[in-house]
Amino acid sequence: YVTDHMTVRATYVRKAVDNVVGGEFAGATITLGGRIALNLYMDVNDEIFADENAGLLGVRPNGLEEFISLKDAVKSEEFYVFSCDVAAKEMASPLKVQFVTSEGESEAFEYSVKEYAEYILEDNSGSYESAKPLVRAMLNYGTFAQVYFGYNLENPANQSLSEVEKVIEEADFSDFRYTVKGKEDGVKYYGSKLTLYSETSVKHYFVIDNEADALNITVNGKAVTAEKAGEYYEVKISDIPAQSLDDRLVLEIGGLTVDYNALSYANLAMSGEDNNLKDLMKALYAYNKAADEYLAEH
């Protein structure tokens, strides 16, 4: 019930890393979906393939470490790829990657979504002109997420943008009001929320008198399940890509219908008093519109 993710790709740019054991950074891409992913492409020296302990160690912006053996690493053409899901608030925070072998470790190479975006915006070749509005909208979205969550405020994602480019337009979310219609015996709709952490998702909550697995639950006609979440049952619609934030998500649970999408939450937020949340929702909508326009050209 969501559309495919999209990738914004830059030409590979070789960049030597000092004191590397094993290889060098070759380039990057970003994948814009329910999860914003930064993909680092690493060129690995042939001589380390005989080392069964060789691999890539990544440290995510949230501090979590992940080791990938070269035997298990994803390969794209001649490069090995290390991918990291990045929350909106983490766009300016670097992913750290280093080669590890039996002989030791390289220095960590650091790269962020912000750096990648700035590379796109600074390019004057004309290759990325259609992507630039989307990249600017993404950086603004990341910055307002930083403000809302109080995260890494000294390093805003949109720091390189002009003051005009940083301005978020007012938005009318009235077309995205949610509706609840019909009824189902033993089922009561409690509420919904939007999550903007490592993924963009909508979560619906219900009070269900009996077991949820006895109910026919669908979203846009596709079967989904409800999981127990405290005293409620939760139906989670995961990984909603930027271009699908305004798409209708019609949940049917028996005879009860909830018509809601990610921007329905934004409509509710506009009536509240949290100005940081309002700004974040307006930035999210601008990101959605820029993604729609980018896909229309590709």
Side-chain angles (χ1 to χ4, degrees):
Y1 39 79
V2 294
T3 57
D4 292 339
H5 295 179
M6 55 187 171
T7 297
V8 178
R9 179 185 296 272
T11 303
Y12 292 119
V13 181
R14 291 193 173 274
K15 181 175 180 179
V17 184
D18 293 338
N19 301 320
V20 162
V21 178
E24 63 182 11
F25 171 65
T29 63
I30 50 174
T31 303
L32 304 181
R35 301 171 188 266
I36 298 171
L38 175 63
N39 314 300
L40 300 186
Y41 291 72
M42 311 301 291
D43 192 1
V44 180
N45 296 338
D46 292 340
E47 58 267 23
I48 72 169
F49 284 106
D51 185 347
E52 63 180 16
N53 297 317
L56 290 170
L57 177 65
V59 181
R60 297 172 181 271
N62 61 11
L64 293 178
E65 293 186 355
E66 180 179 0
F67 176 80
I68 298 178
S69 169
L70 285 184
K71 296 179 293 185
D72 301 323
V74 175
K75 193 171 185 181
S76 176
E77 299 175 352
E78 71 268 38
F79 304 117
Y80 284 83
V81 186
F82 188 94
S83 295
C84 174
D85 294 334
V86 178
K89 68 179 183 180
E90 296 172 341
M91 289 184 196
S93 302
L95 166 64
K96 301 178 183 179
V97 176
Q98 61 188 144
F99 289 98
V100 177
T101 71
S102 297
E103 303 299 321
E105 301 174 348
S106 72
E107 285 188 3
F109 173 72
E110 299 186 4
Y111 202 66
S112 67
V113 169
K114 176 185 177 183
E115 289 178 85
Y116 178 87
E118 289 173 349
Y119 170 80
I120 294 287
L121 296 176
E122 291 168 4
D123 180 81
N124 294 317
S125 70
S127 300
Y128 313 120
E129 288 308 305
S130 64
K132 288 183 179 182
L134 173 57
V135 168
R136 293 187 191 101
M138 179 192 71
L139 292 177
N140 280 329
Y141 168 46
T143 299
F144 283 103
Q146 288 175 265
V147 172
Y148 178 71
F149 290 106
Y151 179 86
N152 195 16
L153 298 179
E154 68 280 1
N155 184 21
N158 68 356
Q159 191 169 20
S160 65
L161 301 187
S162 70
E163 292 306 310
V164 172
E165 291 168 338
K166 292 176 183 178
V167 174
I168 301 298
E169 295 181 358
E170 293 299 319
D172 180 3
F173 295 102
S174 58
D175 287 343
F176 304 110
R177 293 189 183 99
Y178 77 96
T179 61
V180 180
K181 297 179 180 179
K183 63 180 181 178
E184 177 66 21
D185 289 342
V187 178
K188 181 179 179 181
Y189 172 68
Y190 177 75
S192 304
K193 69 178 181 180
L194 177 70
T195 60
L196 301 171
Y197 295 102
S198 61
E199 63 173 346
T200 303
S201 61
V202 168
K203 296 179 179 180
H204 296 297
Y205 295 91
F206 299 89
V207 176
I208 299 176
D209 292 343
N210 299 311
E211 293 298 319
D213 56 13
L215 294 166
N216 179 33
I217 308 174
T218 62
V219 173
N220 291 355
K222 294 187 177 181
V224 296
T225 59
E227 303 292 337
K228 201 75 171 74
E231 58 185 307
Y232 305 104
Y233 280 89
E234 175 188 278
V235 177
K236 182 180 179 182
I237 304 169
S238 302
D239 289 341
I240 304 172
Q243 70 273 17
S244 300
L245 292 167
D246 56 348
D247 290 355
R248 293 178 64 202
L249 299 171
V250 181
L251 184 151
E252 295 177 291
I253 179 167
L256 179 65
T257 300
V258 180
D259 191 337
Y260 190 107
N261 66 23
L263 297 178
S264 299
Y265 180 87
N267 179 61
L268 293 172
M270 291 301 113
S271 62
E273 298 181 356
D274 190 333
N275 290 328
N276 288 338
L277 178 59
K278 292 179 183 180
D279 288 340
L280 176 57
M281 292 298 100
K282 288 184 285 187
L284 181 67
Y285 185 37
Y287 177 48
N288 164 241
K289 291 197 297 182
D292 282 341
E293 291 168 3
Y294 177 79
L295 281 179
E297 297 182 22
H298 294 80

